[in-house]
Amino acid sequence: MNATNLALFQWLTAGSQPTPWVLAVASAFALWSSWLCAGILALALWLHRPERAYLCIVAALAGLASLASHAIALSLNKPRPFMLGLAPSYIEHSGRGSLPSTHATVMFLLALAFLLRPGLRRLGVLLLVLAAVTGWARVYVGVHFPLDIAAGLLLACAITGVFAAAQWLVRHLLPFRASHAGRTRDDKTTATCFWRHP
Protein backbone atom coordinates (compact mmCIF):
# COMPACT_ATOMS: atom_id res chain seq x y z
CA MET A 1 0.00 0.00 0.00
CA ASN A 2 1.22 3.50 -0.84
CA ALA A 3 2.86 4.96 2.27
CA THR A 4 1.50 8.46 1.59
CA ASN A 5 -2.02 7.12 1.16
CA LEU A 6 -1.76 5.20 4.44
CA ALA A 7 -0.26 8.17 6.29
CA LEU A 8 -3.05 10.47 5.07
CA PHE A 9 -5.63 7.90 6.08
CA GLN A 10 -4.21 7.63 9.60
CA TRP A 11 -4.26 11.43 9.86
CA LEU A 12 -7.85 11.83 8.57
CA THR A 13 -9.66 8.82 10.00
CA ALA A 14 -11.64 8.84 13.24
CA GLY A 15 -9.68 5.97 14.76
CA SER A 16 -10.89 4.06 17.78
CA GLN A 17 -11.76 7.13 19.89
CA PRO A 18 -13.48 9.68 17.64
CA THR A 19 -14.79 13.03 18.82
CA PRO A 20 -18.56 12.34 19.11
CA TRP A 21 -19.83 15.49 17.41
CA VAL A 22 -17.30 15.24 14.58
CA LEU A 23 -18.27 11.60 14.05
CA ALA A 24 -21.94 12.58 13.95
CA VAL A 25 -21.29 15.26 11.32
CA ALA A 26 -19.04 12.98 9.26
CA SER A 27 -21.54 10.12 9.40
CA ALA A 28 -24.34 12.42 8.25
CA PHE A 29 -22.32 13.61 5.26
CA ALA A 30 -21.06 10.12 4.46
CA LEU A 31 -24.60 8.72 4.43
CA TRP A 32 -26.82 11.54 3.15
CA SER A 33 -24.78 13.99 1.09
CA SER A 34 -25.59 12.20 -2.16
CA TRP A 35 -29.26 12.97 -1.53
CA LEU A 36 -28.41 16.60 -0.85
CA CYS A 37 -26.50 16.62 -4.13
CA ALA A 38 -29.55 15.23 -5.93
CA GLY A 39 -31.66 17.93 -4.26
CA ILE A 40 -29.35 20.65 -5.60
CA LEU A 41 -29.66 19.14 -9.08
CA ALA A 42 -33.46 19.15 -8.75
CA LEU A 43 -33.36 22.77 -7.54
CA ALA A 44 -31.25 23.73 -10.55
CA LEU A 45 -33.76 22.05 -12.87
CA TRP A 46 -36.54 24.11 -11.30
CA LEU A 47 -34.71 27.46 -11.14
CA HIS A 48 -32.76 27.38 -14.41
CA ARG A 49 -35.25 26.50 -17.13
CA PRO A 50 -32.94 27.37 -20.05
CA GLU A 51 -30.44 24.85 -18.66
CA ARG A 52 -32.86 21.94 -18.32
CA ALA A 53 -31.65 20.03 -21.38
CA TYR A 54 -28.05 20.43 -20.24
CA LEU A 55 -28.91 19.34 -16.70
CA CYS A 56 -30.78 16.26 -17.91
CA ILE A 57 -27.75 15.20 -19.95
CA VAL A 58 -25.51 15.84 -16.92
CA ALA A 59 -27.78 13.69 -14.76
CA ALA A 60 -27.58 10.88 -17.32
CA LEU A 61 -23.82 11.30 -17.45
CA ALA A 62 -23.67 11.02 -13.65
CA GLY A 63 -25.53 7.72 -13.90
CA LEU A 64 -23.04 6.42 -16.44
CA ALA A 65 -20.15 7.63 -14.26
CA SER A 66 -21.61 5.69 -11.34
CA LEU A 67 -21.75 2.51 -13.41
CA ALA A 68 -18.18 3.05 -14.64
CA SER A 69 -16.92 3.64 -11.10
CA HIS A 70 -18.63 0.50 -9.80
CA ALA A 71 -17.21 -1.55 -12.68
CA ILE A 72 -13.66 -0.33 -12.05
CA ALA A 73 -13.99 -0.90 -8.30
CA LEU A 74 -15.23 -4.45 -8.85
CA SER A 75 -12.42 -5.23 -11.28
CA LEU A 76 -9.69 -3.82 -9.02
CA ASN A 77 -11.32 -5.17 -5.83
CA LYS A 78 -9.22 -3.05 -3.48
CA PRO A 79 -10.13 -3.70 0.18
CA ARG A 80 -11.58 -0.98 2.36
CA PRO A 81 -9.81 0.24 5.52
CA PHE A 82 -12.18 -1.54 7.89
CA MET A 83 -11.63 -4.79 5.97
CA LEU A 84 -7.90 -4.52 6.66
CA GLY A 85 -8.43 -3.77 10.34
CA LEU A 86 -6.92 -0.30 9.99
CA ALA A 87 -9.96 1.48 11.45
CA PRO A 88 -13.51 0.73 12.55
CA SER A 89 -16.34 1.32 10.09
CA TYR A 90 -18.72 3.78 11.72
CA ILE A 91 -21.40 3.34 9.06
CA GLU A 92 -22.77 0.15 7.55
CA HIS A 93 -21.08 -0.65 4.25
CA SER A 94 -20.53 -3.65 2.04
CA GLY A 95 -17.07 -5.06 1.47
CA ARG A 96 -16.95 -4.52 -2.29
CA GLY A 97 -13.98 -2.74 -3.90
CA SER A 98 -13.27 0.78 -2.74
CA LEU A 99 -11.21 2.32 -5.57
CA PRO A 100 -12.44 4.63 -7.01
CA SER A 101 -15.06 6.07 -4.70
CA THR A 102 -18.40 6.20 -6.52
CA HIS A 103 -19.60 9.00 -4.24
CA ALA A 104 -16.55 11.08 -5.17
CA THR A 105 -16.85 10.25 -8.87
CA VAL A 106 -20.50 11.28 -9.18
CA MET A 107 -20.41 14.29 -6.87
CA PHE A 108 -17.23 15.78 -8.36
CA LEU A 109 -18.59 15.16 -11.85
CA LEU A 110 -21.77 17.10 -11.06
CA ALA A 111 -19.74 19.92 -9.52
CA LEU A 112 -17.43 20.18 -12.53
CA ALA A 113 -20.32 20.01 -15.01
CA PHE A 114 -22.07 22.86 -13.16
CA LEU A 115 -18.85 24.89 -13.16
CA LEU A 116 -18.69 24.59 -16.95
CA ARG A 117 -21.90 26.64 -17.32
CA PRO A 118 -21.75 30.34 -16.36
CA GLY A 119 -25.34 30.33 -15.10
CA LEU A 120 -24.75 27.33 -12.83
CA ARG A 121 -21.37 28.21 -11.33
CA ARG A 122 -22.64 29.35 -7.92
CA LEU A 123 -24.33 25.99 -7.44
CA GLY A 124 -21.21 24.37 -8.87
CA VAL A 125 -19.07 25.87 -6.11
CA LEU A 126 -21.54 24.57 -3.52
CA LEU A 127 -21.43 21.10 -5.08
CA LEU A 128 -17.63 21.18 -5.15
CA VAL A 129 -17.48 21.99 -1.42
CA LEU A 130 -20.07 19.29 -0.71
CA ALA A 131 -18.07 16.72 -2.70
CA ALA A 132 -14.85 17.59 -0.87
CA VAL A 133 -16.50 17.40 2.57
CA THR A 134 -18.12 14.09 1.65
CA GLY A 135 -14.75 12.72 0.57
CA TRP A 136 -13.28 13.65 3.95
CA ALA A 137 -16.30 12.19 5.75
CA ARG A 138 -16.06 8.82 4.05
CA VAL A 139 -12.38 8.57 4.97
CA TYR A 140 -13.15 9.68 8.54
CA VAL A 141 -15.77 6.96 9.07
CA GLY A 142 -13.42 4.27 7.78
CA VAL A 143 -14.95 3.20 4.46
CA HIS A 144 -12.43 4.78 2.06
CA PHE A 145 -8.78 5.63 1.72
CA PRO A 146 -7.79 9.13 0.53
CA LEU A 147 -6.55 7.52 -2.70
CA ASP A 148 -10.08 6.25 -3.37
CA ILE A 149 -11.40 9.81 -3.21
CA ALA A 150 -8.57 11.13 -5.40
CA ALA A 151 -9.25 8.39 -7.96
CA GLY A 152 -12.93 9.35 -7.99
CA LEU A 153 -11.96 12.99 -8.61
CA LEU A 154 -9.63 11.96 -11.46
CA LEU A 155 -12.32 9.80 -13.05
CA ALA A 156 -14.80 12.68 -12.76
CA CYS A 157 -12.26 15.04 -14.38
CA ALA A 158 -11.68 12.60 -17.24
CA ILE A 159 -15.39 12.15 -17.94
CA THR A 160 -16.09 15.87 -17.65
CA GLY A 161 -13.15 16.60 -19.95
CA VAL A 162 -14.57 14.30 -22.64
CA PHE A 163 -17.97 15.92 -22.14
CA ALA A 164 -16.54 19.44 -22.50
CA ALA A 165 -14.57 18.40 -25.59
CA ALA A 166 -17.74 16.99 -27.18
CA GLN A 167 -19.52 20.30 -26.56
CA TRP A 168 -16.63 22.23 -28.09
CA LEU A 169 -16.60 20.01 -31.19
CA VAL A 170 -20.33 20.41 -31.72
CA ARG A 171 -20.18 24.19 -31.22
CA HIS A 172 -17.20 24.80 -33.48
CA LEU A 173 -17.01 22.02 -36.05
CA LEU A 174 -20.59 21.05 -36.84
CA PRO A 175 -23.00 23.34 -38.71
CA PHE A 176 -25.99 24.68 -36.83
CA ARG A 177 -29.32 24.39 -38.55
CA ALA A 178 -31.72 27.26 -38.72
CA SER A 179 -35.01 26.76 -36.92
CA HIS A 180 -38.30 26.24 -38.74
CA ALA A 181 -38.95 29.95 -38.35
CA GLY A 182 -35.82 30.78 -40.31
CA ARG A 183 -33.77 31.90 -37.33
CA THR A 184 -29.98 31.67 -37.39
CA ARG A 185 -27.46 30.34 -34.87
CA ASP A 186 -27.30 33.74 -33.21
CA ASP A 187 -30.94 33.60 -32.20
CA LYS A 188 -31.69 33.48 -28.48
CA THR A 189 -33.57 30.21 -28.90
CA THR A 190 -30.53 28.55 -30.43
CA ALA A 191 -28.17 30.22 -27.97
CA THR A 192 -29.83 28.49 -25.03
CA CYS A 193 -29.55 25.01 -26.51
CA PHE A 194 -27.67 22.31 -24.66
CA TRP A 195 -24.46 22.67 -26.66
CA ARG A 196 -23.97 26.40 -26.23
CA HIS A 197 -23.41 28.68 -23.27
CA PRO A 198 -26.42 30.96 -22.78
Side-chain angles (χ1 to χ4, degrees):
M1 181 177 294
N2 183 282
T4 302
N5 183 41
L6 185 56
L8 282 173
F9 174 75
Q10 296 293 352
W11 180 56
L12 291 171
T13 192
S16 59
Q17 294 182 325
T19 304
W21 72 268
V22 177
L23 179 61
V25 170
S27 298
F29 275 101
L31 288 167
W32 306 112
S33 60
S34 58
W35 292 102
L36 181 56
C37 194
I40 293 171
L41 176 60
L43 179 65
L45 282 164
W46 181 56
L47 292 178
H48 299 275
R49 292 186 179 183
E51 300 283 9
R52 282 182 179 173
Y54 177 84
L55 290 169
C56 286
I57 297 297
V58 168
L61 196 63
L64 292 175
S66 176
L67 292 175
S69 177
H70 277 299
I72 295 170
L74 286 173
S75 65
L76 295 177
N77 198 28
K78 295 293 184 181
R80 295 176 182 272
F82 66 87
M83 297 169 64
L84 297 172
L86 296 174
S89 175
Y90 289 100
I91 61 173
E92 290 188 14
H93 205 288
S94 69
R96 64 179 181 270
S98 68
L99 188 147
S101 163
T102 300
H103 275 76
T105 301
V106 173
M107 294 178 72
F108 278 117
L109 183 143
L110 287 175
L112 294 170
F114 272 56
L115 290 171
L116 287 177
R117 296 296 267 199
L120 299 173
R121 282 181 183 155
R122 288 185 180 179
L123 289 176
V125 171
L126 178 60
L127 286 169
L128 190 61
V129 171
L130 181 59
V133 172
T134 302
W136 159 79
R138 293 184 72 79
V139 173
Y140 189 84
V141 299
V143 297
H144 276 296
F145 289 104
L147 183 60
D148 303 337
I149 308 302
L153 172 58
L154 288 175
L155 180 57
C157 288
I159 294 171
T160 308
V162 172
F163 179 54
Q167 291 184 80
W168 186 90
L169 287 171
V170 171
R171 284 200 308 269
H172 293 89
L173 300 182
L174 297 181
F176 283 83
R177 297 178 180 176
S179 70
H180 294 297
R183 295 172 180 170
T184 66
R185 62 181 289 180
D186 293 324
D187 197 341
K188 290 181 181 179
T189 303
T190 309
T192 56
C193 79
F194 161 67
W195 295 111
R196 303 188 63 195
H197 295 308

